[in-house]
């Protein structure tokens, strides 16, 4: 797994670090840190790392997160950050993977949460009215709904 969001971002507050190197941290990071990370912007190259970790084509994740492929490529080439909205969607995706990783922690050391999520988001779910989780990843409310489905699955409740 790549280190994601590992680049040092500008630090308006002394001794504050915005980097992390795991999906678990994206999930467990305090809300204030998530807000600061999003406000400073996620590097476009971190989107590419996320694509690779998930084993997806860039176009698939771009479509799901509503981020233009040309925007990603241009910003990667220029070593730029994503907009606040784009950064939030990328961080939400990393957090969703972290949620799954935390759910199975210790159960299977060979489990690849990123690839599992990439497959799972394509499956129609009764809890989503027969729709696929990927259809909801373009908005914060949609991410919350998908994250709630995962929490419900973890609890063993019938969906």
């Amino acid at each position: 797994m790549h280190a994601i969001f590992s680049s040092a971002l500008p630090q308006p507050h002394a001794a504050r670090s915005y980097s992390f190197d795991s999906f678990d941290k994206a999930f467990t990071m305090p809300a204030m840190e998530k807000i600061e990370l999003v406000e400073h912007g996620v590097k476009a190259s971190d989107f590419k790392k996320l694509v690779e970790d998930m084993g997806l084509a860039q176009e698939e994740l771009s479509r799901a997160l509503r981020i233009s492929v040309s925007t990603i490529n241009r910003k990667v080439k220029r070593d730029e950050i994503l907009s606040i909205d784009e950064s939030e969607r990328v961080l939400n995706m990393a957090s969703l993977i972290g949620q799954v990783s935390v759910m199975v922690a210790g159960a299977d050391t060979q489990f690849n949460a990123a690839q599992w999520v990439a497959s799972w988001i394509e499956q129609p779910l009764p809890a989503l009215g027969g729709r696929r989780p990927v259809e909801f990843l373009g908005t914060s409310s949609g991410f919350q709904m998908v994250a709630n489905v995962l929490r419900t699955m973890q609890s063993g409740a019938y969906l």
Side-chain angles (χ1 to χ4, degrees), residues 5 9-10 12-13 15-22 24-42 87-88 91:
F5 311 116
L9 297 173
H13 307 290
R16 175 71 76 176
S17 171
Y18 295 96
S19 23
F20 61 91
D21 59 7
S22 75
D24 295 9
K25 189 162 182 189
F27 175 62
T28 60
M29 179 183 287
M32 190 61 80
E33 286 185 39
K34 286 182 181 183
I35 291 166
E36 290 176 3
L37 177 62
V38 166
E39 286 178 343
H40 284 96
V42 171
S87 293
E88 184 170 45
L91 181 58

Side-chain angles (χ1 to χ4, degrees), residues 2 9 15 20 34 40 43 47 52 60 66 72 75 81 85 97 106 112 115-116 120 136 141 144 147 150 159:
H2 287 95
L9 297 173
F20 61 91
K34 286 182 181 183
H40 284 96
K43 290 189 76 162
F47 176 89
E52 190 173 322
E60 292 176 275
R66 298 181 183 172
I72 293 292
K75 288 185 177 191
I81 59 172
D85 290 341
I97 295 167
N112 185 316
Q115 291 180 357
W116 185 88
W120 179 77
F136 300 97
S141 295
Q144 288 301 323
L150 284 172
L159 300 176

Side-chain angles (χ1 to χ4, degrees), residues 139-151:
T139 66
S140 292
S141 295
F143 264 104
Q144 288 301 323
M145 191 168 57
V146 171
N148 287 338
V149 169
L150 284 172
R151 273 190 290 282

Side-chain angles (χ1 to χ4, degrees), residues 54 56 60-61 63-66 92-93 96-97 99-100 116-151 153 159:
M54 293 181 77
L56 294 173
E60 292 176 275
L61 191 58
R63 190 176 323 108
L65 300 185
R66 298 181 183 172
N92 282 343
M93 188 74 240
L96 197 67
I97 295 167
Q99 181 179 351
V100 170
W116 185 88
V117 168
S119 175
W120 179 77
I121 62 175
E122 292 294 338
Q123 306 305 313
L125 300 176
L128 298 175
R131 293 174 65 185
R132 302 170 303 139
V134 72
E135 297 174 47
F136 300 97
L137 300 180
T139 66
S140 292
S141 295
F143 264 104
Q144 288 301 323
M145 191 168 57
V146 171
N148 287 338
V149 169
L150 284 172
R151 273 190 290 282
M153 287 172 52
L159 300 176

